[in-house]
Amino acid sequence: DSGVTQTPKHLITATGQRVTLRCSPRSGDLSVYWYQQSLDQGLQFLIQYYNGEERAKGNILERFSAQQFPDLHSELNLSSLELGDSALYFCASDEVNTEAFFGQGTRLTVV
Amino acid sequence: LAKTTQPISMDSYEGQEVNITCSHNNIATNDYITWYQQFPSQGPRFIIQGYKTKVTNEVASLFIPADRKSSTLSLPRVSLSDTAVYYCLVVPLGGSARQLTFGSGTQLTVLP
């Protein structure tokens, strides 16, 4: 158990819909990262938050947005979903200059 | 961001030592090298990290030459359960803004 909790574990939704993925970081970790991993693809960095503020941005689509709340949990919002958005979405957390701990992911299936 | 290059795949047999080399020619002075392991449908798991020379922990060793343009992850006596994708990352020290970039990784297959 990495200490990073992601919910839900599985999500099935239709094209055009909007979903919210939730991540609770390890206790004390201020930094949260979001990644997308499509079938047989690598981990694509989406965005990083540190103590509530966006700090680094990757190839995140405009249809996707994220935020980190005062209690440090984070949410990734995916809207106008397309079939190609089906993927595993991972959240990770760390303290500065330490290893990142990943959650078990949310498997999103868009039908 | 320093780009990393690793072999796409490697095969080994149980009980052998496996060395996976990563090239990072553009590594910066304040970058350190980190390796992660990922099993199918699971989140990556930290293995080891280092800045220079040699680092060893209970699962692996990391060798970094003086010029730091490459690094080698060494897994002693692999077992079938070590079959996974291994990622090499170059991560900057300091600062709160970090983009942990995973490349394609190396698919290690351990054969019986």
Side-chain angles (χ1 to χ4, degrees):
Chain A
D1 182 10
S2 67
V4 178
T5 304
Q6 291 188 246
T7 56
K9 287 188 170 51
H10 302 276
L11 195 51
I12 302 175
T13 190
T15 55
Q17 295 298 305
R18 172 189 168 94
V19 297
T20 297
L21 312 184
R22 182 187 170 101
C23 171
S24 294
R26 288 193 322 149
S27 178
D29 285 355
L30 299 178
S31 192
V32 169
Y33 307 80
W34 285 99
Y35 289 84
Q36 178 194 57
Q37 188 169 39
S38 303
L39 190 64
D40 295 329
Q41 296 294 310
L43 284 150
Q44 298 296 317
F45 171 75
L46 296 178
I47 199 162
Q48 180 223 354
Y49 280 83
Y50 179 84
N51 202 21
E53 294 187 9
E54 180 188 307
R55 288 304 176 98
K57 205 166 188 175
N59 297 323
I60 186 167
L61 299 173
E62 286 190 10
R63 299 184 286 109
F64 296 180
S65 65
Q67 55 184 325
Q68 187 179 27
F69 295 86
D71 67 352
L72 300 178
H73 92 270
S74 180
E75 294 181 354
L76 180 67
N77 300 297
L78 314 176
S79 61
S80 303
L81 285 167
E82 302 174 359
L83 296 178
D85 297 327
S86 295
L88 264 170
Y89 290 84
F90 290 106
C91 165
S93 75
D94 68 8
E95 299 175 35
V96 176
N97 294 335
T98 67
E99 66 194 80
F101 290 84
F102 282 76
Q104 287 304 299
T106 294
R107 183 175 294 280
L108 173 66
T109 303
V110 182
V111 297
Chain B
L1 296 171
K3 181 181 167 63
T4 60
T5 304
Q6 307 173 229
I8 293 174
S9 64
M10 294 180 69
D11 290 344
S12 181
Y13 290 96
E14 279 193 290
Q16 290 189 331
E17 178 184 74
V18 170
N19 295 309
I20 306 175
T21 297
C22 178
S23 171
H24 28 79
N25 290 318
N26 296 323
I27 191 167
T29 303
N30 66 332
D31 289 339
Y32 59 99
I33 299 135
T34 307
W35 286 80
Y36 284 81
Q37 174 193 57
Q38 187 182 28
F39 297 111
S41 298
Q42 293 187 25
R45 186 174 69 102
F46 171 85
I47 301 174
I48 197 167
Q49 74 179 28
Y51 185 79
K52 60 181 179 179
T53 63
K54 177 184 175 183
V55 180
T56 297
N57 62 21
E58 63 276 9
V59 298
S61 294
L62 178 60
F63 298 92
I64 306 168
D67 67 4
R68 303 201 326 121
K69 292 183 184 300
S70 66
S71 59
T72 299
L73 174 72
S74 181
L75 304 172
R77 298 180 297 282
V78 293
S79 64
L80 296 177
S81 63
D82 292 317
T83 294
V85 178
Y86 292 81
Y87 295 96
C88 163
L89 282 74
V90 171
V91 183
L93 282 165
S96 58
R98 299 208 300 170
Q99 183 168 324
L100 300 180
T101 302
F102 287 76
S104 301
T106 297
Q107 171 66 58
L108 172 65
T109 302
V110 180
L111 306 168

